[in-house]
Amino acid sequence: AQRVTQPEKLLSVFKGAPVELKCNYSYSGSPELFWYVQYSRQRLQLLLRHISRESIKGFTADLNKGETSFHLKKPFAQEEDSAMYYCALSRKSSGDKLTFGTGTRLAVRP
Amino acid sequence: DTGVSQDPRHKITKRGQNVTFRCDPISEHNRLYWYRQTLGQGPEFLTYFQNEAQLEKSRLLSDRFSAERPKGSFSTLEIQRTEQGDSAMYLCASSSSGSGETQYFGPGTRLLVL
Protein backbone atom coordinates (compact mmCIF):
# COMPACT_ATOMS: atom_id res chain seq x y z
CA ALA A 1 0.00 0.00 0.00
CA GLN A 2 1.17 3.51 -0.68
CA ARG A 3 1.98 5.91 2.10
CA VAL A 4 3.03 9.56 2.28
CA THR A 5 4.92 10.95 5.27
CA GLN A 6 5.33 14.60 6.14
CA PRO A 7 7.41 14.63 9.32
CA GLU A 8 6.84 18.26 10.29
CA LYS A 9 3.46 19.49 11.48
CA LEU A 10 4.68 23.07 11.66
CA LEU A 11 7.53 24.92 10.01
CA SER A 12 8.14 28.50 11.08
CA VAL A 13 10.62 30.70 9.20
CA PHE A 14 11.36 34.40 8.81
CA LYS A 15 10.53 36.23 5.60
CA GLY A 16 13.38 35.86 3.12
CA ALA A 17 14.66 32.62 4.64
CA PRO A 18 14.86 29.42 2.60
CA VAL A 19 12.11 26.87 3.03
CA GLU A 20 12.12 23.10 2.67
CA LEU A 21 9.00 21.07 3.37
CA LYS A 22 9.80 17.39 3.59
CA CYS A 23 7.84 14.60 1.96
CA ASN A 24 8.71 10.92 1.81
CA TYR A 25 6.64 8.24 0.19
CA SER A 26 6.46 4.49 0.01
CA TYR A 27 5.21 2.83 -3.12
CA SER A 28 6.66 0.03 -5.14
CA GLY A 29 5.62 1.24 -8.56
CA SER A 30 6.01 4.53 -10.41
CA PRO A 31 3.95 7.09 -8.57
CA GLU A 32 2.97 10.56 -9.53
CA LEU A 33 3.72 13.11 -6.81
CA PHE A 34 1.96 16.37 -6.09
CA TRP A 35 2.03 19.24 -3.69
CA TYR A 36 -1.31 20.76 -2.77
CA VAL A 37 -1.71 23.99 -0.79
CA GLN A 38 -4.55 25.38 1.28
CA TYR A 39 -4.44 29.07 2.12
CA SER A 40 -6.52 30.38 4.99
CA ARG A 41 -10.25 30.07 4.23
CA GLN A 42 -9.62 28.77 0.72
CA ARG A 43 -10.05 25.39 -0.85
CA LEU A 44 -7.33 22.88 -1.47
CA GLN A 45 -5.53 23.59 -4.73
CA LEU A 46 -2.71 22.07 -6.72
CA LEU A 47 0.63 23.82 -6.29
CA LEU A 48 2.81 21.64 -8.47
CA ARG A 49 3.38 18.12 -9.75
CA HIS A 50 6.57 16.27 -10.44
CA ILE A 51 5.84 15.44 -14.06
CA SER A 52 5.61 19.08 -15.07
CA ARG A 53 8.96 19.98 -13.51
CA GLU A 54 7.98 23.62 -13.27
CA SER A 55 8.34 26.30 -10.63
CA ILE A 56 5.13 27.75 -9.23
CA LYS A 57 5.23 30.85 -7.01
CA GLY A 58 8.95 30.25 -6.65
CA PHE A 59 8.47 26.71 -5.31
CA THR A 60 10.17 23.68 -6.82
CA ALA A 61 10.15 20.01 -5.96
CA ASP A 62 12.34 17.23 -7.29
CA LEU A 63 11.38 13.59 -7.22
CA ASN A 64 14.22 11.52 -5.76
CA LYS A 65 13.36 7.89 -6.40
CA GLY A 66 16.44 6.64 -4.57
CA GLU A 67 15.44 8.38 -1.36
CA THR A 68 11.69 8.15 -2.17
CA SER A 69 11.37 11.85 -1.43
CA PHE A 70 9.63 14.82 -3.00
CA HIS A 71 10.66 17.77 -0.88
CA LEU A 72 9.23 21.22 -1.60
CA LYS A 73 11.69 24.09 -1.66
CA LYS A 74 11.71 27.84 -2.00
CA PRO A 75 14.83 29.96 -1.69
CA PHE A 76 13.20 33.05 -0.16
CA ALA A 77 9.95 32.67 1.78
CA GLN A 78 7.26 35.35 1.57
CA GLU A 79 4.53 36.08 4.11
CA GLU A 80 1.90 35.11 1.56
CA ASP A 81 3.38 31.59 1.47
CA SER A 82 1.91 30.95 4.92
CA ALA A 83 -0.50 28.06 4.40
CA MET A 84 -1.06 24.35 4.89
CA TYR A 85 0.90 22.20 2.45
CA TYR A 86 0.03 18.61 1.61
CA CYS A 87 2.15 16.16 -0.30
CA ALA A 88 0.15 13.58 -2.26
CA LEU A 89 0.74 10.52 -4.40
CA SER A 90 -1.35 8.89 -7.06
CA ARG A 91 -1.04 5.86 -9.28
CA LYS A 92 -2.48 5.44 -12.73
CA SER A 93 -3.76 1.94 -12.03
CA SER A 94 -6.14 3.18 -9.38
CA GLY A 95 -8.04 5.96 -11.06
CA ASP A 96 -5.54 8.56 -9.97
CA LYS A 97 -6.98 8.66 -6.45
CA LEU A 98 -4.75 10.70 -4.19
CA THR A 99 -3.04 9.52 -1.02
CA PHE A 100 -2.18 12.51 1.13
CA GLY A 101 0.30 13.12 3.88
CA THR A 102 -0.80 14.72 7.13
CA GLY A 103 0.30 18.16 6.02
CA THR A 104 2.79 20.79 7.17
CA ARG A 105 1.73 24.24 8.25
CA LEU A 106 4.18 26.85 7.02
CA ALA A 107 4.25 30.08 8.99
CA VAL A 108 6.35 32.89 7.52
CA ARG A 109 7.06 35.61 10.05
CA PRO A 110 7.77 39.22 9.03
CA ASP B 1 -18.65 27.64 -14.11
CA THR B 2 -16.80 28.76 -11.01
CA GLY B 3 -15.41 25.40 -10.00
CA VAL B 4 -16.53 22.50 -7.86
CA SER B 5 -19.36 23.35 -5.51
CA GLN B 6 -20.65 21.49 -2.46
CA ASP B 7 -23.84 21.82 -0.50
CA PRO B 8 -24.37 22.31 2.37
CA ARG B 9 -21.17 23.90 3.63
CA HIS B 10 -21.96 22.99 7.22
CA LYS B 11 -24.20 20.34 8.76
CA ILE B 12 -24.93 19.65 12.41
CA THR B 13 -26.92 16.55 13.16
CA LYS B 14 -27.74 14.24 16.00
CA ARG B 15 -26.33 10.76 16.27
CA GLY B 16 -28.48 8.28 14.44
CA GLN B 17 -29.82 10.71 11.86
CA ASN B 18 -29.22 10.40 8.11
CA VAL B 19 -27.45 13.14 6.17
CA THR B 20 -26.90 13.73 2.47
CA PHE B 21 -24.30 15.93 0.82
CA ARG B 22 -24.21 17.12 -2.76
CA CYS B 23 -21.27 17.83 -5.05
CA ASP B 24 -21.44 19.60 -8.40
CA PRO B 25 -18.23 19.05 -10.37
CA ILE B 26 -16.74 21.21 -13.08
CA SER B 27 -19.05 20.59 -16.02
CA GLU B 28 -16.67 18.94 -18.47
CA HIS B 29 -15.07 16.67 -15.86
CA ASN B 30 -16.08 13.04 -15.99
CA ARG B 31 -14.25 11.91 -12.84
CA LEU B 32 -15.56 12.75 -9.38
CA TYR B 33 -13.89 11.87 -6.08
CA TRP B 34 -15.00 11.97 -2.45
CA TYR B 35 -12.49 12.39 0.37
CA ARG B 36 -12.84 12.77 4.12
CA GLN B 37 -10.59 14.90 6.28
CA THR B 38 -10.44 14.79 10.07
CA LEU B 39 -8.60 17.20 12.32
CA GLY B 40 -4.85 17.05 11.93
CA GLN B 41 -4.98 14.65 9.01
CA GLY B 42 -4.75 14.93 5.28
CA PRO B 43 -7.74 14.07 3.11
CA GLU B 44 -8.47 10.33 2.84
CA PHE B 45 -9.95 8.79 -0.27
CA LEU B 46 -13.49 7.42 0.04
CA THR B 47 -14.72 6.66 -3.47
CA TYR B 48 -14.65 7.82 -7.06
CA PHE B 49 -16.81 7.82 -10.17
CA GLN B 50 -16.04 7.88 -13.83
CA ASN B 51 -19.20 9.24 -15.42
CA GLU B 52 -22.01 7.45 -13.56
CA ALA B 53 -20.00 4.34 -12.68
CA GLN B 54 -18.62 4.02 -9.17
CA LEU B 55 -15.25 2.41 -9.83
CA GLU B 56 -13.65 2.14 -6.41
CA LYS B 57 -14.64 2.34 -2.77
CA SER B 58 -12.26 2.61 0.16
CA ARG B 59 -12.46 0.25 3.09
CA LEU B 60 -13.14 3.43 5.08
CA LEU B 61 -16.55 3.51 3.45
CA SER B 62 -18.71 1.43 5.76
CA ASP B 63 -22.14 0.05 4.85
CA ARG B 64 -23.68 3.20 6.27
CA PHE B 65 -22.14 5.27 3.48
CA SER B 66 -23.48 5.34 -0.03
CA ALA B 67 -22.59 7.53 -2.97
CA GLU B 68 -24.31 8.02 -6.28
CA ARG B 69 -23.77 9.92 -9.48
CA PRO B 70 -26.94 9.09 -11.39
CA LYS B 71 -26.46 11.03 -14.61
CA GLY B 72 -22.74 11.41 -14.55
CA SER B 73 -23.03 15.00 -13.40
CA PHE B 74 -23.60 15.85 -9.72
CA SER B 75 -23.00 13.33 -6.96
CA THR B 76 -24.52 12.70 -3.55
CA LEU B 77 -22.95 11.13 -0.50
CA GLU B 78 -25.35 9.79 2.10
CA ILE B 79 -24.46 8.70 5.62
CA GLN B 80 -27.08 6.67 7.40
CA ARG B 81 -27.35 6.36 11.19
CA THR B 82 -24.59 8.88 11.76
CA GLU B 83 -22.06 8.32 14.53
CA GLN B 84 -19.85 10.83 16.32
CA GLY B 85 -16.86 9.37 14.51
CA ASP B 86 -18.36 10.54 11.22
CA SER B 87 -17.66 14.15 12.19
CA ALA B 88 -15.24 15.43 9.57
CA MET B 89 -14.84 17.60 6.51
CA TYR B 90 -16.13 15.85 3.39
CA LEU B 91 -14.37 16.99 0.25
CA CYS B 92 -15.35 16.49 -3.34
CA ALA B 93 -12.96 16.81 -6.28
CA SER B 94 -13.33 16.45 -10.02
CA SER B 95 -11.00 15.93 -12.94
CA SER B 96 -10.83 14.89 -16.55
CA SER B 97 -10.12 11.23 -17.12
CA GLY B 98 -6.68 11.51 -18.65
CA SER B 99 -3.86 10.02 -16.61
CA GLY B 100 -2.53 12.33 -13.94
CA GLU B 101 -5.11 15.02 -14.55
CA THR B 102 -5.36 17.70 -11.90
CA GLN B 103 -8.08 17.20 -9.32
CA TYR B 104 -9.98 20.37 -8.48
CA PHE B 105 -11.43 20.45 -5.01
CA GLY B 106 -14.63 21.90 -3.68
CA PRO B 107 -14.88 23.91 -0.46
CA GLY B 108 -16.04 20.89 1.52
CA THR B 109 -18.97 20.10 3.78
CA ARG B 110 -18.17 20.16 7.47
CA LEU B 111 -20.23 17.60 9.40
CA LEU B 112 -20.65 17.65 13.16
CA VAL B 113 -22.47 14.75 14.77
CA LEU B 114 -23.66 15.46 18.31
Side-chain angles (χ1 to χ4, degrees):
Chain A
Q2 60 260 37
R3 185 182 180 91
V4 176
T5 303
Q6 293 180 252
E8 303 138 329
K9 284 193 177 298
L10 172 67
L11 184 62
S12 182
V13 301
F14 284 107
K15 177 182 172 181
V19 170
E20 183 178 47
L21 300 172
K22 291 184 167 50
C23 172
N24 288 89
Y25 67 91
S26 61
Y27 177 59
S28 56
S30 295
E32 298 191 31
L33 275 296
F34 306 83
W35 276 98
Y36 276 80
V37 61
Q38 187 166 27
Y39 300 102
S40 179
R41 299 184 183 182
Q42 294 188 27
R43 63 186 66 189
L44 202 56
Q45 58 186 284
L46 179 68
L47 179 63
L48 53 79
R49 57 205 304 169
H50 88 272
I51 57 173
S52 59
R53 302 183 65 83
E54 57 189 345
S55 172
I56 303 292
K57 298 184 178 183
F59 284 97
T60 59
D62 290 319
L63 180 61
N64 185 322
K65 291 188 177 180
E67 295 183 359
T68 59
S69 68
F70 188 57
H71 303 327
L72 183 68
K73 299 178 184 179
K74 185 170 182 176
F76 308 104
Q78 302 300 313
E79 288 180 68
E80 55 266 30
D81 296 328
S82 295
M84 196 74 185
Y85 291 80
Y86 293 95
C87 183
L89 172 158
S90 77
R91 52 193 178 109
K92 300 174 189 179
S93 62
S94 189
D96 293 314
K97 68 179 183 185
L98 293 167
T99 298
F100 286 89
T102 51
T104 297
R105 179 167 298 283
L106 175 64
V108 181
R109 294 171 287 172
Chain B
D1 194 329
T2 55
V4 179
S5 61
Q6 292 186 245
D7 183 71
R9 296 290 305 277
H10 303 273
K11 179 71 177 178
I12 300 174
T13 191
K14 292 181 180 178
R15 190 175 51 187
Q17 297 294 304
N18 299 344
V19 294
T20 300
F21 309 142
R22 177 180 170 125
C23 171
D24 286 89
I26 293 172
S27 57
E28 62 268 26
H29 285 173
N30 54 5
R31 278 193 179 169
L32 187 149
Y33 303 81
W34 285 99
Y35 295 86
R36 180 172 67 186
Q37 185 173 21
T38 53
L39 201 61
Q41 301 296 316
E44 296 174 292
F45 169 78
L46 292 179
T47 188
Y48 92 98
F49 294 83
Q50 180 145 325
N51 300 312
E52 66 275 9
Q54 187 174 17
L55 296 186
E56 186 172 345
K57 292 167 59 172
S58 163
R59 289 174 210 150
L60 291 175
L61 218 59
S62 77
D63 293 345
R64 297 183 298 103
F65 287 70
S66 62
E68 293 183 342
R69 194 183 183 197
K71 297 182 180 178
S73 57
F74 73 91
S75 175
T76 58
L77 177 68
E78 181 183 17
I79 310 174
Q80 296 183 326
R81 305 181 303 281
T82 52
E83 301 173 356
Q84 288 183 324
D86 298 331
S87 296
M89 176 74 87
Y90 290 84
L91 296 169
C92 176
S94 71
S95 73
S96 302
S97 59
S99 177
E101 290 292 325
T102 298
Q103 291 186 28
Y104 294 86
F105 281 80
T109 295
R110 183 171 295 283
L111 173 66
L112 178 61
V113 182
L114 301 176

